[in-house]
Amino acid sequence: MAGGTLLLTTVNGYTINYEQLGSGPDLLMLHGWGYDLTLLMPLARALASSFRITLADMPGHGLSPEPKEAITVFDYAELVYGLLQTLSIESTYLLGHSFGCRLAIILAAKHPEKIKKMVLCGAAGVLPKRSAAYYLKVYRYKIGKFFIKTFAKGKLEKWQQSKGSEDYQKLSPVMKASFSAIVNQDLTPLLKAIQAPVFLIWGEKDTATPLYMAQVMEQEIPNCAKVVYSGRTHYAFLEESARTLAIVNTFFKE
């Protein structure tokens, strides 16, 4: 891609596609689930005059092959840590979106020496509030699965395929298993262990990671600030990219 160097490396047995561009202090950028490094490239190019940017496709995303078996969010985070080690990046600023923020939380909690400061956008990691309707839906699913498996085994796979979101149905079995484990992993116990200063960017109308999740993170992370973009969604950081760039440049200023 223009402005960067596309590279492949092997970390913990996984092939990782990554790209580096710019010069200056290191800035690692981590994409959300279902996307790849290209989502963050416009911001990366705008920041490349001030930072050396590293972006990477997580396994099963972009040009990085899927894992051979399901892996956890902690496995993904250790791959990112391994990538930093491979690239001899001693410490870095970090910008993450959604799933990428899960990895950032783990990195900052488990390897505090690696992270200087973080900007987390629409961060995932807090378990969603479950309504009675949700539990009723799960209960009905399990009952339905039991009866179909018992009395109409041939129809079970077709019935299961009709459940879940369209994006979820497009995933391979390995990625479905990984995704299920990841979204059900509560990372709030790690928030208090984060030593790096954190700045949260959130969209007022974010439905993927609702605003109450930002409030939990702001309360639990010792050194944390928050801004909410009025009327914006889960992609608020891109919807108001100029504002995001101003925050990043100011917050990460050395």
Side-chain angles (χ1 to χ4, degrees), residues 67-85:
K68 293 181 181 179
E69 57 185 21
I71 60 177
T72 70
V73 67
F74 294 97
D75 295 327
Y76 272 108
E78 282 304 306
L79 285 174
V80 176
Y81 175 74
L83 178 64
L84 294 177
Q85 296 292 85

Side-chain angles (χ1 to χ4, degrees), residues 31-197:
H31 65 77
W33 187 271
Y35 291 91
D36 55 40
L37 61 80
T38 60
L39 180 73
L40 302 173
M41 188 53 69
L43 286 182
R45 289 183 178 133
L47 292 165
S49 60
S50 301
F51 302 93
R52 182 177 71 160
I53 313 291
T54 300
L55 309 100
D57 290 335
M58 293 297 98
H61 298 77
L63 300 179
S64 294
E66 290 186 3
K68 293 181 181 179
E69 57 185 21
I71 60 177
T72 70
V73 67
F74 294 97
D75 295 327
Y76 272 108
E78 282 304 306
L79 285 174
V80 176
Y81 175 74
L83 178 64
L84 294 177
Q85 296 292 85
T86 299
L87 300 179
S88 299
I89 297 176
E90 293 185 4
S91 63
T92 182
Y93 295 107
L94 191 153
L95 184 148
H97 175 235
S98 196
F99 162 70
C101 298
R102 294 180 188 270
L103 311 186
I105 289 168
I106 296 170
L107 280 171
K110 301 291 187 181
H111 305 285
E113 75 284 356
K114 285 293 185 185
I115 307 300
K116 295 178 179 179
K117 295 181 180 180
M118 303 194 297
V119 171
L120 304 183
C121 308
V126 176
L127 287 183
K129 296 176 181 177
R130 301 304 194 187
S131 64
Y134 168 83
Y135 288 110
L136 180 60
K137 183 178 179 180
V138 171
Y139 181 73
R140 285 175 175 169
Y141 177 90
K142 291 182 177 180
I143 292 293
K145 182 177 178 180
F146 170 78
F147 279 102
I148 290 175
K149 187 175 182 179
T150 303
F151 302 110
K153 293 182 180 180
K155 297 181 180 180
L156 176 59
E157 183 176 355
K158 184 177 180 179
W159 183 79
Q160 286 178 317
Q161 289 175 349
S162 70
K163 304 300 178 183
S165 69
E166 183 179 350
D167 289 341
Y168 180 76
Q169 297 308 325
K170 291 178 181 178
L171 297 176
S172 69
V174 165
M175 294 304 286
K176 282 182 181 178
S178 298
F179 179 74
S180 294
I182 288 166
V183 298
N184 287 298
Q185 179 68 59
D186 182 14
L187 298 181
T188 53
L190 297 180
L191 298 178
K192 288 188 182 296
I194 295 175
Q195 299 177 23

